[in-house]
Amino acid sequence: MKEKLAIEGGTPVLKRNDYKNWPVVNEETRFFVNETMESGIFAGGTAPQVTSLEKEWAEYLGVKHCLTTCSGTAALHMALSAIGAGPGDEIITSAFTFLASASCAIHQNAIPVFVDIDKRTYNMDPAKLEAAITERTKAIIPVHIQGLPADMDPILEIAKKHNLFVIEDACQAHGATYKGRKVGTIGHIAAFSLNNFKNLSGGEGGFFVTNDETLLRKGSLIRCFGDEVDEVSHRRKYNASILGYMYRNQELPAAFTRGQLKHLDEYNDTRISNAGYLTERIGKIPGVVPPYRPDDCKHVYFMYNVRFNPEEAGVKCTPREFRTAVEKALYMEGVLVGQWQTMPVPAQDIFQSKLGYGGSSYPWSVNESRGIRYDYNVDNYPVARDLCDNYTIVHGVHTPNGKDLMEKIASAFEKVFGDISTVMEHVDDNIFPGADGKLYGAA
Ligand SMILES: *Cc1c(COP(=O)(O)O)cnc(C)c1O
């Protein structure tokens, strides 16, 4: 006899406390945080923890320069400012990403343009990139989505041909590699996030990295009000030469990050083995599509993305209905699942209304007043649109969760798919799967 599904009142496969929290407070993290507390130094662009962290991250990646920032979003904005993007410029990014990959363009008074994604990698589809380029394009921002590197070679080739900057949004892919090269070392500048959930966590924070001396100089001015610094005394002159912001990190998050960095590769290895185990088991279930990884890439599984296919599961309904029903049944079994982005970024209200600064149509108006149209119709991004119908995120692949938890998650999948017609009867139930606030702190 089939085991009764939790959604029908049966016993859930998992309990909430089967899941362990992220990030892990390890010994080194405590050490560096304590060291900071004892030092009495908590701030400053050249203070000891931020300076050490910048050096350690540059070494880890094998890049020349790194600046810590208060967020990944700030690092992206600094990057666009450093390359001189401005009103009327277009910045190309992926349609399936976090808002910040696109809003950084608006923050720089430029206009985001989106490219649809590849069906298997969910990264920007290089085959669709060239069609998005105009004489106004200034930069391309490929995003290494969910821990998988974007296909950089064709992107770089196209960028070179059109004389464009490439800024890697590496906020989700610390330690991932593309053809043996670490992401964040491939474009002109890269941005990393250190927010709580990311593979390398500082609570909050970010990195701006580059091999280019000029871009570094600009980045460091922009990070601190555009304020010139005396080369000999290293004192601020309180004389801003360019428009800047206050995007510095702080000593405590930097100290925290340093402790995390000591274990980044090991933590990534756990994600990889947990993901491998899940893929091995749930990948065998008809209708379950585990994440894809090209052979020449190291995927670091910031998120473990699963898609559902009703037809392959032998169910007649829309992909959205099927995904919703399966999410509910899994959630009731105790599996933490739920969507991250629920729509392609261009489908968000701000792009539909094109209302920016002060509720005006600026910055789009710069070009629209000259007859250039920006069409953010979601049907222009059919692959991203379809993905948002039928994917969910299976949470918990991070350390210290291990095989025990993965076994239970896989068993819950098998249980749910073993009784799929019952699952479909509950498609309209009032259950809202999503990341558990306490465990994952969905803001
Ligand atoms: C997290 C993230 C950001 C922004 O990072 P914050 O540190 O939260 O500002 C930017 N882009 C992507 C793809 C992200 O996942």
Side-chain angles (χ1 to χ4, degrees):
M1 212 192 97
K2 271 182 203 157
E3 228 194 308
K4 198 172 182 186
L5 295 177
I7 206 165
E8 294 258 290
T11 311
V13 178
L14 292 103
K15 294 188 206 65
R16 248 344 123 74
N17 61 12
D18 289 335
Y19 286 86
K20 304 281 192 316
N21 238 335
W22 175 263
V24 179
V25 181
N26 58 43
E27 213 176 295
E28 290 87 342
T29 299
R30 282 181 206 283
F31 174 83
F32 289 120
V33 169
N34 282 333
E35 184 179 70
T36 307
M37 304 281 252
E38 270 150 41
S39 76
I41 305 169
F42 300 105
T46 56
Q49 297 293 337
V50 295
T51 308
S52 300
L53 177 59
E54 287 172 349
K55 196 166 151 272
E56 287 158 6
W57 186 245
E59 268 166 22
Y60 176 84
L61 288 183
V63 289
K64 287 199 187 126
H65 313 292
C66 170
L67 296 170
T68 53
T69 65
C70 59
S71 69
T73 303
L76 283 167
H77 182 201
M78 275 166 58
L80 287 186
S81 178
I83 64 163
D89 288 338
E90 293 168 359
I91 309 295
I92 297 176
T93 192
S94 172
F96 184 64
T97 181
F98 176 63
L99 177 70
S101 318
S103 59
C104 60
I106 305 174
H107 291 154
Q108 199 52 29
N109 299 277
I111 299 169
V113 169
F114 297 92
V115 171
D116 202 5
I117 56 170
D118 178 83
K119 265 209 270 293
R120 290 206 291 176
T121 65
Y122 315 144
N123 273 312
M124 173 186 286
D125 184 349
K128 294 177 183 161
L129 172 57
E130 208 154 16
I133 293 173
T134 72
E135 75 249 21
R136 299 169 297 277
T137 308
K138 182 86 178 176
I140 305 166
I141 307 183
V143 185
H144 306 300
I145 204 73
Q146 299 179 335
L148 179 68
D151 192 3
M152 293 303 290
D153 277 349
I155 293 172
L156 291 173
E157 198 179 304
I158 293 166
K160 196 166 179 198
K161 180 172 153 198
H162 296 271
N163 201 20
L164 304 174
F165 284 99
V166 175
I167 294 162
E168 293 175 75
D169 182 340
C171 288
Q172 301 190 351
H174 316 69
T177 63
Y178 174 78
K179 301 186 181 176
R181 302 164 73 185
K182 284 214 171 78
V183 305
T185 66
I186 304 169
H188 296 90
I189 305 176
F192 288 89
S193 167
L194 299 174
N195 89 22
N196 205 46
F197 315 107
K198 301 295 163 76
N199 286 33
L200 180 64
S201 172
E204 300 281 7
F207 293 124
F208 167 108
V209 303
T210 184
N211 279 315
D212 184 304
E213 190 88 21
T214 311
L215 294 174
L216 167 78
R217 283 238 184 80
K218 276 235 149 149
S220 83
L221 272 179
I222 295 157
R223 182 175 67 165
C224 191
F225 306 99
D227 200 352
E228 289 290 335
V229 174
D230 187 276
E231 276 178 31
V232 180
S233 68
H234 297 289
R235 286 205 181 145
R236 278 167 64 186
K237 291 184 181 169
Y238 293 96
N239 174 24
S241 57
I242 60 167
L243 178 60
Y245 306 87
M246 180 7 207
Y247 283 166
R248 294 190 306 257
N249 203 325
Q250 306 172 52
E251 287 296 89
L252 283 167
F256 191 97
T257 310
R258 290 183 70 201
Q260 296 293 304
L261 178 53
K262 297 275 183 236
H263 294 269
L264 175 61
D265 285 336
E266 168 202 328
Y267 292 170
N268 278 343
D269 286 346
T270 301
R271 288 177 187 264
I272 292 164
S273 76
N274 284 341
Y277 180 85
L278 279 183
T279 295
E280 175 67 27
R281 270 188 62 190
I282 70 176
K284 292 200 179 92
I285 303 172
V288 175
V289 185
Y292 167 75
R293 178 185 64 81
D295 286 339
D296 53 8
C297 288
K298 178 177 177 178
H299 191 324
V300 292
Y301 298 99
F302 169 56
M303 293 186 210
Y304 186 86
N305 182 315
V306 172
R307 299 182 81 168
F308 301 115
N309 183 326
E311 227 166 274
E312 284 171 16
V315 175
K316 268 213 183 79
C317 70
T318 68
R320 182 171 280 268
E321 273 171 335
F322 187 63
R323 184 260 303 168
T324 309
V326 171
E327 273 180 335
K328 287 177 183 178
L330 286 169
Y331 190 66
M332 293 305 281
E333 296 296 343
V335 184
L336 291 179
V337 288
Q339 286 203 312
W340 168 58
Q341 300 296 300
T342 58
M343 62 183 101
V345 173
Q348 294 192 30
D349 287 351
I350 177 161
F351 299 107
Q352 297 304 305
S353 69
K354 287 186 268 183
L355 296 178
Y357 287 90
S360 77
S361 56
Y362 185 86
W364 291 276
S365 55
V366 176
N367 291 338
E368 291 207 322
S369 67
R370 298 189 286 135
I372 297 152
R373 308 302 306 172
Y374 293 94
D375 181 5
Y376 296 116
N377 188 330
V378 69
D379 294 330
N380 296 339
Y381 320 98
V383 184
R385 182 198 61 201
D386 292 353
L387 174 64
C388 291
D389 277 339
N390 68 8
Y391 89 95
T392 199
I393 301 299
V394 177
H395 295 282
V397 298
H398 57 76
T399 203
N401 298 315
K403 198 165 164 222
D404 287 0
L405 180 68
M406 298 308 117
E407 279 171 358
K408 288 181 183 167
I409 293 174
S411 299
F413 265 80
E414 286 158 6
K415 184 179 172 190
V416 160
F417 277 81
D419 194 0
I420 202 72
S421 55
T422 308
V423 169
M424 293 314 296
E425 288 165 18
H426 292 272
V427 65
D428 294 324
D429 289 6
N430 261 341
I431 298 165
F432 303 100
D436 178 299
K438 195 151 162 256
L439 277 165
Y440 296 97

